Amino acid sequence: MSWNTFGRSLRFTTWGESHGHAIGAVVDGCPPGVDLSEADIQPFLDARKPGQNKFTTQRKEPDEVRILSGVFEGKTTGTPISLLIENTDQRSKDYSEIANTYRPGHADYAYDAKYGFRDYRGGGRSSARETAMRVAAGAVARLVIPEVSILAYVAEIGGDAMDPANFDREEIARNPFWCPDADAAKRWEKLVDEARKAGSSLGAVVECVASGVPAGWGAPVYAKLDADLAAGMMSINAVKGVEIGDGFGAARLTGEENADPMRPGNDGPRFEANHAGGIAGGISTGQPVTCRVAFKPTSSIFTPVESITCDGEATEVRTKGRHDPCVGIRGTPVVEAMMALVLADHKLLHRGQCG
Amino acid sequence: MSWNTFGRSLRFTTWGESHGHAIGAVVDGCPPGVDLSEADIQPFLDARKPGQNKFTTQRKEPDEVRILSGVFEGKTTGTPISLLIENTDQRSKDYSEIANTYRPGHADYAYDAKYGFRDYRGGGRSSARETAMRVAAGAVARLVIPEVSILAYVAEIGGDAMDPANFDREEIARNPFWCPDADAAKRWEKLVDEARKAGSSLGAVVECVASGVPAGWGAPVYAKLDADLAAGMMSINAVKGVEIGDGFGAARLTGEENADPMRPGNDGPRFEANHAGGIAGGISTGQPVTCRVAFKPTSSIFTPVESITCDGEATEVRTKGRHDPCVGIRGTPVVEAMMALVLADHKLLHRGQCG
Amino acid sequence: MSWNTFGRSLRFTTWGESHGHAIGAVVDGCPPGVDLSEADIQPFLDARKPGQNKFTTQRKEPDEVRILSGVFEGKTTGTPISLLIENTDQRSKDYSEIANTYRPGHADYAYDAKYGFRDYRGGGRSSARETAMRVAAGAVARLVIPEVSILAYVAEIGGDAMDPANFDREEIARNPFWCPDADAAKRWEKLVDEARKAGSSLGAVVECVASGVPAGWGAPVYAKLDADLAAGMMSINAVKGVEIGDGFGAARLTGEENADPMRPGNDGPRFEANHAGGIAGGISTGQPVTCRVAFKPTSSIFTPVESITCDGEATEVRTKGRHDPCVGIRGTPVVEAMMALVLADHKLLHRGQCG
Amino acid sequence: MSWNTFGRSLRFTTWGESHGHAIGAVVDGCPPGVDLSEADIQPFLDARKPGQNKFTTQRKEPDEVRILSGVFEGKTTGTPISLLIENTDQRSKDYSEIANTYRPGHADYAYDAKYGFRDYRGGGRSSARETAMRVAAGAVARLVIPEVSILAYVAEIGGDAMDPANFDREEIARNPFWCPDADAAKRWEKLVDEARKAGSSLGAVVECVASGVPAGWGAPVYAKLDADLAAGMMSINAVKGVEIGDGFGAARLTGEENADPMRPGNDGPRFEANHAGGIAGGISTGQPVTCRVAFKPTSSIFTPVESITCDGEATEVRTKGRHDPCVGIRGTPVVEAMMALVLADHKLLHRGQCG
């Protein structure tokens, strides 16, 4: 985890700005002999792609990924896999007028304070465009952990939560919100549309479940599986909170209520609950690994917000460009990707130490 | 962040088991010339120390830290600082009967699944005893960032939250709960005592505020200040959730409500709110850095919980030993320490890259 | 230093195979505000470029570098700098017949033993083509250490050493051997030409001197400046030995002969000798940092060498393709680049810890 | 490789000064279930121990190692192994008079230039005493690679080389020089004794051979097995040069002479030579891994050397304390230890990536 690199055994480095020539990732440490082509990656990028409906930004990028290295005759060679997406829709003019203004809720001021200046075109390196490369790298990671099945979905938008009783896995792909509850999806359509029309925005909570993780992945003490998930999720743009298992809810339970009793099972224990989210002492228990991720509402809104110019003068910012009314929606494939990347890293780490 | 090491520029490695000979930490990368003696560390250890009142475990450890290297004539030399605490109260017999049983909510089963066996005495490496060394290392980190003031306190126990309107900094040291709200502290006394008597346990939420952090610490994209805080906090025993700024609350706000407007200030912007918790794009904004940490209720409870033996037989576990009815209380100094360690690391990282 | 990444504070990752689509590097951690364009990098690539005369391989690559990220309005932004060179001259057919044979002295067998298979086209990832990206990254590193001047040259070919008494810095660019001794260059012309015509190859020793390195860069104990130089140089293709200062020669001196006496100087000590190569205890002393690097003779020779096929059958290998009779010559700019990369990393590391 | 930590999968961190309370190492990432007690480590420390005969320093340290963590019921648990040696013979007074003088060839001036001051007692952190912890950590590493047999010996002292024709493995333990050539040992006895009596010192070359390393350990490009060996060896005190296989000698061979022909073998190829030292493309070939390490003569000599005081005044330094006339001799067990540590790290790295 250093600057722009994540992971230890399966490591990936991303680069590129929102409106530069291209964005890319280098995935290093991938096991050899894994079948891999662009076709394994593109569907995940398509799922994340903007401009698909009125609930996401209208910026249109084909986001076609190319594999430039690390694959030979359709298989990974064990050497670095370079992934690249050209930036084709670089409407820099949208941003020229805010070159000299700090957008509240964005990294503009922080970047200037750190680096002395910034690439202001579309947020430059701080743009959520970077997450496309996480999705691409995550697609590679999935192939490293074929035993694991990962599913993320939006559980809450603007404070309106789905009803777990309505959970229908098939429903997720049917609505534009990655929502497994058809009723909630219907409500959210109205909710998000209103926010969009009002020039406002909404936050969201994304849940992610990884099934099939064997017991034993993870490690004490600073490479805990949950610590890595927390870092990976919190590093996603607009994320402000991460929970493992019951998370903050666990803080409101008694010890009895929060217990995950164990019964004799066929292959290790059979757990009677999963408040812990499949992780104990930083190591997987064989139960599904679960986490919840809080996305703040999109900071770029049409409603004017008080701000200052780079010269320190008072001004107002209102965003007229193409933006998501709820970034959490498009964050869903990114959450899945980070889950895959963390788990794949830990699979290899565990194999290295414990054989 | 690898196995038992945390940090990049200011790095620390901890070692030791709950009931081994000793526990220790090696702090590497500390700037030279910092005044340091045991007296700078011991007060923080004393604050965390168990056995101080009936609300924390009755295990008694003097927890006297020794500095074995890295300091010469009262100043850090820039070479590794080795910190060591002898384990003096090693009542291993308390644990002998559970050597063959998996305690629900503990890492017992996960360790066995990973390593094939485990040091079962007091949880071995998975024991919260490890956090004493975080506190010790954190005391060193504080000296690296004298410009920063860090304060953590318990904001909620068993679902009963303090009232921010009652916040009184002086109150924190006056009650056994690190609670800045005298009324809440009174209620919690009853709450925790009841839980203790009932052989049950409670969760807690700890808040932490770091003031004086200049704008510009942190870095894109996987070394974000908030990503590191998330990892650092989530790696603490019993922690299941981390929030930066408004956290999950931000997911329930609109873009307008969540905005942190900026006004011209004397030295950079003056922010009119701090929903972001002092971090934008992974980089500090100059506002106080704030986070909230959820601790689950202590897993070791007197009430029997269904479990299995290491041989897979059904059994029940009830804990008769010395345990905290609410681990979150003693987690408070640990949260402060992790905040200090993350910030000190980023101060040095920033200076390295940006001068 | 992990797989395909080098450095800590200034880190770079390279990717790409000899005959893939492209090769590239990602330089991370570069200070912001450094003037950088392709014109700062291209001259160093041109110097390393193959096909320039009969003493180097006739493979022709324009090796035009593109900067894809990390630079805005002509200055580095502090975010990752992505560098890319398209592979244009991919004559894979030259290599097709050795797909099933292990070339002695090459990594063919080792890669197969490790990964189960390999990209055999031109050696794939094990090709010296990777060093082009070190040269590109090194050009960026030079800009981070403007106070340092780096010069590498060939000191010996095929056992025939230059005469230090003839050292003429201007001469280096005048002959095809980077040789500062005009007489030696003349002898080597004959020597290398004979080897080339005989289908044989020769080894070489490259020396490198970095002037202007201030005292204080480097660090104990496993991040010693000389340890990093050793790793960096040894990681260059065909390198089999590294010396700092007098190197193996120092092992043949007495303590008196090897001493570097110090006299009072204007700014720190004035050293009366530099057997140590400007490094003591892993930290620079303010003297020129010097090292020597041994390149083995090119393994690809026309003379047949006994070998085996991938199926374990006896065979013979003779290389008919385009190869350098003496790889050490083209290694010279690579040695300079690694020196720059190690020093720039340590400048930033030092600044981070010591301010 | 950061500051005081070496390795990736099997990592160790050392701490401690020559004349502090203690020195120690933390070995992290060790596989679980390895039989380990102090008795596995102590013999290697005893071999390195000073004061054993007149050819090494007369400083007397029992150097008794204690295992403080990471081992339970005689087996490694997979958690950090803390090793500690108390410093018992801390004759600080020997060094008090040089507190204000820079010893030529030592790190005194470099440390002051870097850190502003230094622990001058016995060289503090820059003392070769640190290498005791490498030997201790190396003893653990050996247990991780039982398939490998490591042997180091002194091949040359003061320019007088042993004769490979006289190589007798049994002889190594019979003379005080770790010399496998009885004739050379006899000559060296006179040579070293004369140097000692003259208040002078001599350099040495140590060779190390690791047999049983399977093909496939190591990795491109910056984690090459030879790059790691170079870093590990060069980081040893007084080392100025490292060669793999024929090293600088290879630079004087033709391609034909340097070839390692392969013939069909029972299990992979049978090599007919090993100029490469068992490594190709940074990856082991299954042949013995060989390296040579150059130690400079001890810098502390009785003969006066010109120097300056910390205040910049001219002075002379002559060392009256207890010092080795030839540090390379005691470096031999350290070379073995670093070989073991590098190989064990790569065994685990390889297993992690390739299964």
Side-chain angles (χ1 to χ4, degrees), chain D residues 102-347:
Chain D
Y102 295 132
R103 293 170 299 162
H106 283 274
D108 300 345
Y109 170 68
Y111 267 58
D112 262 16
K114 181 175 190 67
Y115 298 121
F117 78 119
R118 77 200 129 93
D119 179 347
Y120 50 76
R121 300 166 303 165
R125 182 68 183 152
S126 72
S127 163
R129 179 135 187 77
E130 186 269 345
T131 61
M133 296 321 303
R134 304 185 188 221
V135 171
V140 178
R142 282 169 197 265
L143 302 175
V144 175
I145 45 169
E147 63 271 59
V148 176
S149 167
I150 298 173
L151 184 71
Y153 49 87
V154 180
E156 185 180 322
I157 287 186
D160 180 10
M162 62 169 274
D163 181 351
N166 291 344
F167 189 98
D168 174 4
R169 185 172 179 145
E170 301 304 313
E171 179 61 26
I172 295 174
R174 284 196 208 114
N175 62 67
F177 304 109
W178 308 105
C179 178
D181 170 356
D183 291 354
K186 199 162 295 179
R187 298 195 305 271
W188 295 351
E189 187 156 341
K190 191 158 172 291
L191 202 63
V192 177
D193 209 31
E194 283 171 0
R196 189 179 59 82
K197 286 176 183 163
S200 182
S201 63
L202 298 170
V205 175
V206 174
E207 290 185 3
C208 187
V209 180
S211 310
V213 179
W217 292 3
V221 175
Y222 300 109
K224 282 179 171 165
L225 188 53
D226 36 359
D228 280 4
L229 283 172
M233 299 303 172
M234 196 67 93
S235 72
I236 301 173
N237 303 50
V239 169
K240 302 303 288 184
V242 182
E243 297 180 315
I244 304 295
D246 282 8
F248 279 83
R252 284 136 204 165
L253 300 178
T254 64
E256 291 80 3
E257 291 163 343
N258 188 57
D260 292 329
M262 287 183 257
R263 296 284 75 194
N266 295 328
D267 183 25
R270 181 171 55 74
F271 289 89
E272 300 195 329
N274 189 15
H275 299 284
I279 303 174
I283 298 171
S284 61
T285 61
Q287 291 194 282
V289 172
T290 69
C291 74
R292 285 165 51 89
V293 182
F295 287 82
K296 68 176 182 180
T298 316
S299 296
S300 298
I301 50 177
F302 186 73
T303 313
V305 181
E306 290 188 329
S307 188
I308 60 171
T309 66
C310 298
D311 300 324
E313 303 295 312
T315 186
E316 259 186 12
V317 171
R318 64 159 67 190
T319 305
K320 284 158 273 179
R322 305 157 296 176
H323 290 282
D324 286 304
C326 176
V327 284
I329 299 170
R330 285 183 51 222
T332 308
V334 185
V335 167
E336 281 197 2
M338 293 310 298
M339 176 65 88
L341 287 156
V342 168
L343 290 174
D345 186 29
H346 276 284
K347 176 182 179 174

Side-chain angles (χ1 to χ4, degrees), chain B:
Chain B
M1 327 296 179
S2 64
W3 286 272
N4 296 279
T5 300
F6 189 89
R8 301 176 194 82
S9 279
L10 186 76
R11 303 163 62 84
F12 72 102
T13 301
T14 69
W15 56 266
E17 282 81 42
S18 175
H19 287 65
H21 302 292
I23 57 174
V26 183
V27 180
D28 202 1
C30 183
V34 177
D35 289 315
L36 179 67
S37 75
E38 281 87 351
D40 296 302
I41 304 173
Q42 196 61 47
F44 295 100
L45 285 167
D46 292 345
R48 178 200 161 279
K49 198 166 59 177
Q52 304 198 94
N53 60 55
K54 64 183 172 181
F55 303 112
T56 57
T57 172
Q58 293 308 299
R59 173 173 171 156
K60 286 200 173 50
E61 295 273 8
D63 275 4
E64 268 179 41
V65 70
R66 289 172 61 206
I67 300 175
L68 297 182
S69 69
V71 175
F72 182 60
E73 297 182 343
K75 288 183 190 304
T76 59
T77 59
T79 61
I81 301 165
S82 177
L83 306 171
L84 186 137
I85 296 175
E86 305 273 348
N87 283 335
T88 53
D89 183 27
Q90 307 165 25
R91 282 205 245 161
S92 291
K93 59 182 174 321
D94 279 359
Y95 296 95
S96 54
E97 70 183 32
I98 55 167
N100 197 36
T101 309
Y102 295 132
R103 294 170 299 161
H106 283 275
D108 300 346
Y109 170 67
Y111 267 59
D112 263 16
K114 182 174 190 68
Y115 298 121
F117 79 118
R118 75 199 132 94
D119 179 347
Y120 50 75
R121 300 166 303 164
R125 182 68 185 151
S126 72
S127 164
R129 179 134 187 77
E130 187 269 344
T131 61
M133 295 322 300
R134 303 185 190 223
V135 171
V140 178
R142 283 170 196 266
L143 302 175
V144 175
I145 46 169
E147 62 271 59
V148 176
S149 167
I150 297 173
L151 185 70
Y153 49 88
V154 180
E156 186 180 321
I157 287 185
D160 180 9
M162 61 167 275
D163 181 352
N166 291 345
F167 189 99
D168 174 3
R169 186 170 180 147
E170 302 304 313
E171 179 61 26
I172 295 173
R174 284 196 209 114
N175 62 67
F177 304 108
W178 309 105
C179 178
D181 171 355
D183 290 354
K186 200 162 292 177
R187 299 195 305 271
W188 295 352
E189 187 156 340
K190 190 159 173 290
L191 202 64
V192 177
D193 209 31
E194 284 172 0
R196 190 179 57 84
K197 285 175 182 161
S200 182
S201 62
L202 298 170
V205 175
V206 173
E207 289 184 4
C208 187
V209 180
S211 310
V213 179
W217 292 2
V221 174
Y222 301 109
K224 283 180 171 164
L225 189 54
D226 36 0
D228 280 4
L229 283 172
M233 299 303 172
M234 195 68 93
S235 73
I236 301 172
N237 303 51
V239 170
K240 301 304 286 185
V242 182
E243 296 180 317
I244 304 295
D246 281 9
F248 279 83
R252 284 132 206 171
L253 301 178
T254 64
E256 291 81 2
E257 292 164 342
N258 189 55
D260 293 329
M262 288 183 256
R263 296 284 76 194
N266 295 327
D267 183 26
R270 181 171 54 75
F271 289 89
E272 300 194 330
N274 189 15
H275 299 283
I279 303 174
I283 298 171
S284 61
T285 61
Q287 292 194 279
V289 172
T290 70
C291 75
R292 285 165 52 87
V293 181
F295 286 83
K296 68 175 182 181
T298 315
S299 297
S300 297
I301 51 178
F302 187 73
T303 314
V305 181
E306 290 187 329
S307 189
I308 60 170
T309 65
C310 298
D311 300 324
E313 302 296 313
T315 185
E316 258 185 10
V317 171
R318 64 158 66 189
T319 306
K320 283 158 273 178
R322 306 156 296 175
H323 289 283
D324 288 302
C326 175
V327 284
I329 299 170
R330 286 183 51 224
T332 308
V334 184
V335 167
E336 281 198 2
M338 294 310 296
M339 175 66 87
L341 287 156
V342 168
L343 291 174
D345 186 29
H346 275 283
K347 175 181 179 174
L348 303 188
L349 275 174
H350 176 64
R351 186 163 72 183
Q353 185 182 12
C354 297

